[in-house]
Amino acid sequence: MTVEKDANVWVVVDVRFRLSEECRGYALWLAHSGRAVNTQKAYQLRLARFLSWCAETGTAWTMLRFHQLAAYKARLERASANGDGLSGKTVNAHLTAVMVFLRYAVAHGFGTDQLRMTVEGGRPGTASLNLAGQWKTAPARLVKAREIKRRPVVLTPTQADRILEAVDRPRDRLLVLLMLRCGLRAGEVLGLRLEDMHMLPDSGHLGCTIPGPHVHVERRSNPNGAWAKSPYERNVPLPADVCEVHAAYMAQRYASLGGNQPNALILSVTAKNPASLGYPGLHRMLAAVGKTTGLPIRAHQFRHTAATGWARAKVDPDVIMGLLGHRSLASTSIYLHPAQEELRRAVEATLPGKDAPQ
């Protein structure tokens, strides 16, 4: 099994920087599993923490038992780098990464029958099936921490306007609007190419039958590490303000670079040898905007804001699914539930003395 040239592959080594066969195989398998580079990195860091705990406690992960996995969960809940317990969501993210590794190990012969039983969720029952004393098994629920469910953090119209006022560069404004108006993820925007932007009313000359200005989003490898989460291609219509900013940005690019245009849509610099903007550059830009506006800004807030706006506008859930690139309504449903202030307004609207709606 090989990886593409110049591709980053994260792998776990021991304290002497030795690479085990199971970790080597797992790293290559993870690289070919369709996960983003940042996801691979996160999984490997969480695996390193688990294997370090195994070494500290003398736990043989190849023979891991259910109660040992529970002990590791308890360790995560009460210990972190600053001495505070991790949140339930973070604990579950660690446990998910560990289980992915353990399932890989079982499937490729690195574990024991005991590990297989733990991974597959079987535990001895209390009654035998026959006189031979064979024990039946019942599914054991995966060790999981309790999560506090929080609604997505969205921007108010006033906050969104303040952010757009603070973003004056055409490139940065286009980047924000693609997330805020079209619901694109940060990795999707950073991975866009010029050929993905169809700006004319009719793109038939490009072999595209979709009418109106729109953007095509698809997963591909990019030099800046940007990655579309969904493996399924989709297209998203572009509103007028996005088209206007795109035109201003392209005019600026051609004035700076002439006909020597890189294929990446979002560039880090407009110099002699411009490169595509990466995640660090995006985060620096948002941090600067946050400092100017006094708002704590995260890239995914723009996507949450777009989806919540569609839901409040009574857009059909299946349409929102299509715009966001979700494959399940369960992923979209977090935007379909009423906000707390909406529940309060509904209750107060029926109090005595309130005027009945006409």
Side-chain angles (χ1 to χ4, degrees):
M1 183 184 294
T2 59
V3 296
E4 297 179 13
K5 182 180 180 181
D6 299 327
N8 291 323
V9 177
W10 295 85
V11 64
V12 176
V13 296
D14 65 14
V15 293
R16 297 183 180 180
F17 297 96
R18 294 175 302 190
L19 176 61
S20 67
E21 180 61 24
E22 54 267 27
C23 287
R24 184 195 73 83
Y26 174 67
L28 292 173
W29 174 82
L30 200 60
H32 286 268
S33 65
R35 292 176 173 86
V37 173
N38 287 342
T39 301
Q40 296 175 42
K41 178 182 178 182
Y43 272 43
Q44 295 286 22
L45 290 174
R46 293 162 186 164
L47 173 60
R49 184 169 188 165
F50 169 70
L51 295 179
S52 296
W53 173 82
C54 289
E56 293 170 4
T57 59
T59 302
W61 68 263
T62 56
M63 298 183 292
L64 192 74
R65 293 179 176 273
F66 195 80
H67 74 275
Q68 293 170 319
L69 187 60
Y72 181 62
K73 166 183 169 287
R75 171 71 171 268
L76 291 173
E77 289 176 324
R78 68 173 182 266
S80 65
N82 58 9
D84 298 326
L86 302 179
S87 69
K89 185 174 182 179
T90 303
V91 169
N92 289 335
H94 278 264
L95 293 173
T96 296
V98 170
M99 291 303 296
V100 170
F101 170 73
L102 295 179
R103 290 191 178 104
Y104 163 84
V106 167
H108 291 80
F110 292 115
T112 62
D113 290 340
Q114 176 57 54
L115 180 63
R116 180 181 297 276
M117 181 182 297
T118 301
V119 167
E120 293 178 352
R123 57 178 172 81
T126 57
S128 60
L129 293 178
N130 51 42
L131 297 177
Q134 295 179 349
W135 295 97
K136 68 178 182 180
T137 59
R141 186 169 56 185
L142 175 67
V143 173
K144 188 176 182 180
R146 181 181 180 183
E147 295 185 20
I148 298 177
K149 299 295 183 181
R150 295 185 175 90
R151 290 184 54 80
V153 178
V154 302
L155 300 167
T156 66
T158 301
Q159 291 173 331
D161 290 341
R162 286 171 57 189
I163 292 172
L164 290 175
E165 289 174 1
V167 181
D168 51 0
R169 294 177 60 185
R171 183 207 69 174
D172 296 346
R173 194 174 181 85
L174 176 62
L175 201 161
V176 169
L177 283 175
L178 284 170
M179 295 186 288
L180 181 62
R181 298 282 191 258
C182 305
L184 270 62
R185 298 180 178 90
E188 293 172 341
V189 176
L190 295 176
L192 288 176
R193 301 178 183 177
L194 297 180
E195 64 203 43
D196 298 326
M197 306 294 290
H198 293 186
M199 310 306 298
L200 299 177
D202 185 350
S203 299
H205 65 290
L206 299 175
C208 177
T209 60
I210 300 170
H214 60 277
V215 57
H216 288 269
V217 181
E218 64 176 280
R219 175 184 287 181
R220 56 166 76 98
S221 297
N222 295 291
N224 61 354
W227 188 260
K229 183 177 181 180
S230 173
Y232 303 99
E233 183 180 354
R234 74 182 191 279
N235 69 83
V236 181
L238 298 175
D241 57 350
V242 177
C243 296
E244 293 172 2
V245 174
H246 176 267
Y249 173 53
M250 292 307 300
Q252 185 183 71
R253 280 181 52 149
Y254 277 104
S256 177
L257 303 174
N260 184 27
Q261 292 291 323
N263 198 22
L265 176 65
I266 307 296
L267 302 180
S268 60
V269 292
T270 53
K272 185 175 181 180
N273 295 308
S276 55
L277 183 71
Y279 291 102
L282 169 63
H283 296 324
R284 286 193 297 269
M285 185 271 287
L286 293 180
V289 174
K291 185 175 181 180
T292 300
T293 60
L295 299 171
I297 304 171
R298 296 180 58 204
H300 218 60
Q301 282 179 288
F302 297 118
R303 178 175 167 87
H304 289 327
T305 302
T308 300
W310 295 329
R312 296 293 169 266
K314 308 302 181 184
V315 176
D316 287 341
D318 60 333
V319 175
I320 300 177
M321 282 179 58
L323 290 170
L324 296 177
H326 289 161
R327 304 303 294 179
S328 169
L329 185 59
S331 300
T332 310
S333 62
I334 60 173
Y335 304 109
L336 306 180
H337 297 299
Q340 192 62 41
E341 57 270 21
E342 293 175 305
L343 298 176
R344 181 170 294 279
R345 284 199 300 268
V347 171
E348 293 180 348
T350 59
L351 294 177
K354 291 286 184 179
D355 295 333
Q358 300 297 322

